[in-house]
Amino acid sequence: RCQADHIIVKLKAIGCGIAPLTDWDAESFEFTADEIERMAQMEHQRFVNERLREGWGYAPGPKDEEKRTSPTLVPWDELPETEREKDRCLVRGIPAFLARTGFQIYRS
């Protein structure tokens, strides 16, 4: 839910907004590479902040649910490329997610 709540924050950061979907035949909205990268970084920071508020901490190695530690609670620049790509994929999926819920993205 926090991811969904944060969509509007990410979109505002790149000069976009959300409106009800009125043209069901409209072409799919696509972000630029720079927009994807910026929003992916924002999503990662949102995730880190959420985990830290919930009492999680950084530890190398595998994620440990019991100890509430994760190796991904690091700055974007230290995040492995495979983890960065997960955030990029999430961002790329925002237009389709919103369309399924009856909304579309517009540029301001």
Side-chain angles (χ1 to χ4, degrees):
R1 287 186 188 195
C2 291
Q3 271 182 347
D5 290 342
H6 200 253
I7 288 173
I8 193 70
V9 174
K10 288 189 274 292
L11 291 176
K12 282 184 180 183
I14 62 163
C16 291
I18 300 173
L21 182 59
T22 56
D23 183 359
W24 293 92
D25 294 323
E27 290 189 31
S28 297
F29 185 93
E30 290 189 28
F31 298 116
T32 68
D34 288 341
E35 290 169 339
I36 291 169
E37 195 67 11
R38 182 170 182 196
M39 290 191 294
Q41 289 178 30
M42 291 176 71
E43 173 55 28
H44 175 66
Q45 190 60 54
R46 183 210 60 78
F47 166 79
V48 169
N49 292 342
E50 176 184 279
R51 289 290 189 253
L52 293 175
R53 278 193 311 273
E54 294 173 352
W56 285 71
Y58 168 81
K63 176 180 168 181
D64 187 325
E65 298 265 346
E66 189 174 302
K67 293 180 182 177
R68 298 176 75 106
T69 60
S70 172
T72 60
L73 300 180
V74 296
W76 179 262
D77 293 344
E78 297 174 27
L79 196 63
E81 185 60 29
T82 55
E83 294 298 320
R84 290 183 193 188
E85 190 56 28
K86 288 179 185 178
D87 289 320
R88 291 181 192 118
C89 285
L90 184 136
V91 167
R92 286 185 200 105
I94 290 173
F97 168 77
L98 290 173
R100 285 191 305 273
T101 60
F103 293 93
Q104 63 189 14
I105 299 170
Y106 66 88
R107 293 193 186 276
S108 302

